[in-house]
Amino acid sequence: MARILHWPTLPSLASLLLISILLLSLVSSSLSRSPYSSCLRSCHHCKEMYGHNFSGHLCAKTCLRRKGNFKAVCTDLHSIKAFLDLSGLVDYDWAESNDV
């Protein structure tokens, strides 16, 4: 006797979809809470604050090397001094006093 395949009923499809969405949301939320994500977010934040004067890639490498046990605090120059390139900055007071 031949067996005929039937499509699942609408309630079973809805429950399958609901379970899939629930599992995906649990997986994505646990990934965003990894120790690396907090560290990399702080590096990105400092890069936005300091622009081209901040080496974001070096900060990210430090996050990976320390397995997320590092956080760049943008307002604490001691914690980010290795990633700052201040050689391009000009002391405007000094520049104006030499022009006179």
Side-chain angles (χ1 to χ4, degrees), residues 8 13 16 18 29 32-33 45-46 48 50 57 62-64 66-68 70 78 80 89 98:
L13 278 176
L16 180 65
L18 182 62
S29 66
S32 67
R33 292 184 184 137
H45 180 66
C46 292
E48 286 180 340
Y50 293 106
H57 65 285
T62 302
C63 286
L64 297 176
R66 294 186 182 177
K67 299 182 182 180
F70 169 75
H78 181 69
I80 61 170
L89 296 179
N98 284 341

Side-chain angles (χ1 to χ4, degrees), residues 15-29:
S15 63
L16 180 65
L17 181 65
L18 182 62
I19 290 171
S20 299
I21 290 172
L22 180 64
L23 287 175
L24 285 174
S25 67
L26 289 175
V27 169
S28 65
S29 66

Side-chain angles (χ1 to χ4, degrees), residues 61-90:
K61 283 183 179 181
T62 302
C63 286
L64 297 176
R65 189 175 62 244
R66 294 186 182 177
K67 299 182 182 180
N69 292 327
F70 169 75
K71 186 170 182 182
V73 180
C74 304
T75 56
D76 179 21
L77 294 179
H78 181 69
S79 74
I80 61 170
K81 67 181 176 185
F83 315 120
L84 284 176
D85 177 25
L86 302 177
S87 63
L89 296 179
V90 177

